[in-house]
């Protein structure tokens, strides 16, 4: 198992990769739709409109990634330098430079950030604009040359090696084994990093040559999570059983896969179920030679079907269905054979204990600002890795409870890396709390295992109401 610090470092690196892609998912979808509609084998072939496909994948998408990577590190100046550097890797090779953009984009931001720090306070009044503009241009030019001559060719060699490795897996029918690593990594909240940082670059390259890619559905397949949640609906106990139906809707139709992670974490051996489901889904895709045109984000069944090319619907739907069926069967067996005393009375007692523990969690899982005056709380943030999925649901649930209690408290959701300094209370998953503390050291931190934890939210609201009296 990873240590706490190692896990934070891995999550931060993965977060950087996914942060460069996720804001630009709309552009990927636009490219995917244009491809699906207008290429010669598309739904409505159009020779003129299909000419957009190549330039978008070669220029637009890598430039957006490089721009975003630079912006993450050093704001607008970093974004400009990152885009300039990205142009170097694009022109220096003849393949889509997504991995290259992920390298030189942040590198450009880091270079300008270091330069700005070095000259801070040393530029004479009236020369700031001159220095800013020329420094961006010169540093961008130098990085573009470096990217053209060194980084681009190196990334192409790496891409070629990775492609050869992928071919070995495909040729030997070993691609389903990737689920052995992918599914546990997802549970550690590395799902966005895996999907957008690793599989998206591989998938784009494969999709350009084949018109579709299996890589877009290795992580994003909603089948394994669906099967697990269905098993909880049938064989679960207590609050896990009660919340599973809502989680199914959010996961399968909303595409927020983080919702099922706590259900695995509360019974870790169920990771075997989602691994088996993931392997089955990938195996089905390879058997039917099916894949998606572009990333499906979020991983909703609607997004999956929208990115499915003509003629691949049977393989895609069977992949999702088979993954769900196998995950359900394995999870059901594991849950039924788990050592426990049978009977409704025991199940009720377990549920009561679980609810009590979750209520206590709202009071005990705090650190940095233990002396916080609860009566002075003005802002609560529910945070997750991406700031869009599970935290949005948690914030919505808590906001309704806060409003019902007539408390004048702002409740919002955001990504952990974007936590502001004025937040009073931060609510996040227990595996992400250490990271959250680093970004909001003065806040009170509350950990949970399920973002739909009604008991925890009720306990927090009761504490706030009591403090306001």
């Amino acid at each position: 198992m990873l240590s706490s610090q190692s896990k934070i470092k891995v999550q931060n690196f993965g977060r950087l990769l996914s942060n460069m892609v996720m804001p630009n998912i709309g552009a990927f979808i636009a490219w995917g739709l244009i491809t699906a509609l207008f290429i010669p084998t598309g739904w409505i072939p159009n020779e003129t409109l299909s000419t957009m496909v190549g330039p978008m994948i070669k220029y637009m998408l890598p430039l957006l990634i490089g721009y975003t990577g630079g912006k993450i590190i050093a704001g607008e100046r970093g974004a400009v330098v990152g885009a300039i550097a990205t142009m170097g890797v694009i022109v220096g090779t003849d393949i889509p430079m997504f991995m290259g953009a992920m390298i030189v984009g942040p590198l450009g931001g880091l270079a300008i950030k270091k330069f700005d720090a070095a000259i801070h306070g040393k530029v004479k009044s009236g020369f700031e604009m001159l220095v800013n503009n020329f420094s961006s241009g010169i540093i961008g030019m130098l990085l573009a040359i470096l990217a053209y001559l060194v980084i681009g060719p190196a990334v192409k060699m790496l891409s070629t090696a990775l492609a050869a490795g992928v071919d070995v897996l495909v040729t030997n029918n070993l691609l389903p084994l990737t689920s052995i690593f992918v599914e546990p990594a997802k549970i550690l909240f590395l799902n966005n990093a895996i999907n957008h940082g690793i599989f998206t670059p591989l998938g784009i390259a494969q999709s350009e040559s084949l018109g579709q890619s299996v890589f877009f559905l290795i992580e994003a397949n909603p089948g394994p999570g669906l099967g697990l949640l269905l098993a909880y609906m049938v064989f679960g106990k207590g609050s896990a059983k009660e919340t599973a139906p809502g989680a199914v809707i959010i996961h399968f139709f909303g595409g927020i896969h983080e919702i099922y992670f706590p259900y695995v974490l509360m019974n870790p051996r169920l990771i075997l179920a989602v691994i088996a489901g993931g392997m089955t889904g990938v195996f089905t895709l390879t058997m039917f030679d099916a894949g998606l045109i572009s990333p499906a984000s979020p991983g909703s069944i609607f997004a999956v079907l929208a990115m499915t090319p003509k003629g691949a619907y049977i393989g895609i739907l069977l992949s999702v269905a088979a993954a769900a069926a196998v995950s359900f069967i394995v999870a059901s067996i594991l849950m039924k054979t788990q050592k426990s005393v049978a009977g409704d009375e025991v199940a009720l007692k377990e549920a009561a204990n679980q609810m009590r523990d979750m209520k206590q969690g709202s009071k005990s899982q705090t650190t940095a600002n233990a002396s916080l005056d609860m009566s002075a709380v003005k802002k609560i943030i529910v945070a997750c890795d991406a700031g869009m999925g599970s935290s949005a649901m948690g914030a919505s649930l808590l906001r309704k409870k806060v409003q019902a209690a007539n408390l004048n408290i702002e409740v919002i959701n955001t990504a952990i890396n974007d936590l502001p300094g004025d937040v009073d209370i931060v609510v996040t998953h227990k595996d992400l709390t250490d990271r959250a503390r680093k970004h909001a050291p003065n806040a009170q931190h509350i950990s949970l295992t399920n973002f739909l934890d009604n008991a925890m939210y009720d306990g927090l609201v009761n504490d706030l109401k009591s403090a306001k009296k």
Side-chain angles (χ1 to χ4, degrees):
M1 292 293 291
L2 291 174
S3 66
S4 178
Q5 290 301 315
S6 298
K7 186 187 296 183
I8 291 175
K9 290 179 180 178
V10 172
Q11 288 175 340
N12 281 334
F13 176 71
R15 178 68 181 151
L16 174 63
L17 295 179
S18 63
N19 263 348
M20 286 186 271
V21 178
M22 290 190 68
N24 302 307
I25 284 296
F28 281 89
I29 291 175
W31 172 80
L33 292 174
I34 290 172
T35 303
L37 291 172
F38 303 126
I39 62 173
T41 57
W43 289 98
I44 46 176
N46 186 298
E47 185 177 352
T48 302
L49 295 178
S50 67
T51 57
M52 290 190 289
V53 172
M56 288 178 75
I57 192 174
K58 185 173 183 180
Y59 296 103
M60 183 188 77
L61 296 177
L63 281 171
L64 284 173
I65 291 174
Y67 181 92
T68 306
K71 187 176 183 178
I72 291 170
I73 303 298
E76 293 298 331
R77 278 168 57 72
V80 171
V81 176
I84 297 171
T86 301
M87 200 64 199
V89 293
I90 291 173
V91 178
T93 59
D94 56 358
I95 63 173
M97 268 288 109
F98 294 95
M99 284 192 288
M102 289 180 175
I103 295 172
V104 299
L107 180 61
L110 181 62
I112 200 67
K113 184 177 182 179
K114 293 291 185 181
F115 176 83
D116 288 346
I119 66 166
H120 182 68
K122 300 177 182 178
V123 179
K124 291 185 178 181
S125 179
F127 287 84
E128 292 88 356
M129 183 176 292
L130 181 68
V131 172
N132 285 344
N133 288 339
F134 271 84
S135 62
S136 295
I138 293 171
I139 292 174
M141 177 194 70
L142 294 174
L143 286 176
I145 294 172
L146 177 66
Y148 181 92
L149 297 175
V150 179
I151 299 177
V155 171
K156 183 176 180 180
M157 291 176 60
L158 177 61
S159 298
T160 302
L162 289 174
V166 169
D167 287 340
V168 171
L169 292 176
V170 174
T171 303
N172 293 281
N173 297 318
L174 298 176
L175 199 58
L177 295 180
T178 56
S179 296
I180 296 175
F181 307 100
V182 170
E183 296 300 334
K186 286 172 63 177
I187 305 304
L188 296 176
F189 290 89
L190 294 172
N191 51 314
N192 291 318
I194 294 168
N195 194 27
H196 301 310
I198 298 174
F199 289 140
T200 291
L202 293 173
I204 288 290
Q206 189 178 60
S207 181
E208 185 189 29
S209 59
L210 302 179
Q212 63 182 35
S213 176
V214 65
F215 292 108
F216 293 134
L217 205 54
I218 291 180
E219 185 278 336
N221 191 334
L226 174 63
L228 177 83
L229 292 172
L230 291 175
Y232 265 102
M233 286 177 59
V234 178
F235 301 108
K237 297 177 181 178
S239 61
K241 182 182 180 72
E242 294 169 2
T243 57
V248 166
I249 295 173
I250 294 167
H251 165 75
F252 191 64
F253 298 108
I256 302 172
H257 291 195
E258 291 93 339
I259 193 68
Y260 81 81
F261 299 171
Y263 292 85
V264 178
L265 291 170
M266 70 175 66
N267 191 350
R269 69 183 196 154
L270 294 182
I271 190 65
L272 297 175
V274 290
I275 288 175
M279 293 178 67
T280 303
V282 177
F283 177 75
T284 305
L285 289 172
T286 57
M287 286 292 293
F288 284 84
D289 193 24
L292 302 183
I293 293 174
S294 185
S297 183
S300 160
I301 187 62
F302 300 124
V304 169
L305 293 177
M307 292 296 107
T308 300
K310 184 171 63 174
Y313 281 97
I314 294 178
I316 296 298
L317 289 173
L318 283 177
S319 170
V320 175
V326 170
S327 178
F328 173 80
I329 292 170
V330 175
S332 299
I333 293 172
L334 291 173
M335 294 171 74
K336 290 293 288 182
T337 57
Q338 193 163 13
K339 292 182 179 179
S340 62
V341 182
D344 293 338
E345 184 178 348
V346 174
L348 181 62
K349 182 178 180 180
E350 289 178 354
N353 289 338
Q354 183 183 30
M355 296 291 279
R356 182 193 63 202
D357 292 341
M358 288 190 292
K359 287 181 180 179
Q360 291 175 345
S362 66
K363 302 177 182 178
S364 62
Q365 297 294 329
T366 63
T367 51
N369 192 6
S371 60
L372 176 70
D373 181 5
M374 296 290 278
S375 64
V377 171
K378 295 295 182 183
K379 179 182 288 188
I380 300 174
I381 293 181
V382 184
C384 69
D385 189 46
M388 294 184 291
S390 48
S391 63
M393 295 181 300
S396 176
L397 186 60
L398 178 57
R399 188 182 303 115
K400 290 178 182 178
K401 294 180 182 295
V402 167
Q403 291 172 348
N406 294 318
L407 295 171
N408 185 25
I409 297 174
E410 181 184 14
V411 180
I412 60 175
N413 61 285
T414 189
I416 288 174
N417 287 11
D418 297 330
L419 284 169
D422 63 343
V423 58
D424 298 307
I425 297 176
V426 176
V427 180
T428 192
H429 190 274
K430 64 183 181 65
D431 284 353
L432 303 174
T433 300
D434 287 341
R435 278 177 57 198
R437 290 183 185 127
K438 292 181 181 294
H439 291 280
N442 296 319
Q444 177 172 316
H445 290 265
I446 298 177
S447 300
L448 42 65
T449 57
N450 188 340
F451 280 99
L452 297 181
D453 186 351
N454 272 292
M456 194 287 294
Y457 296 133
D458 288 338
L460 175 58
V461 171
N462 287 335
D463 288 346
L464 293 168
K465 285 176 61 178
S466 299
K468 296 285 185 180
K469 292 180 180 179

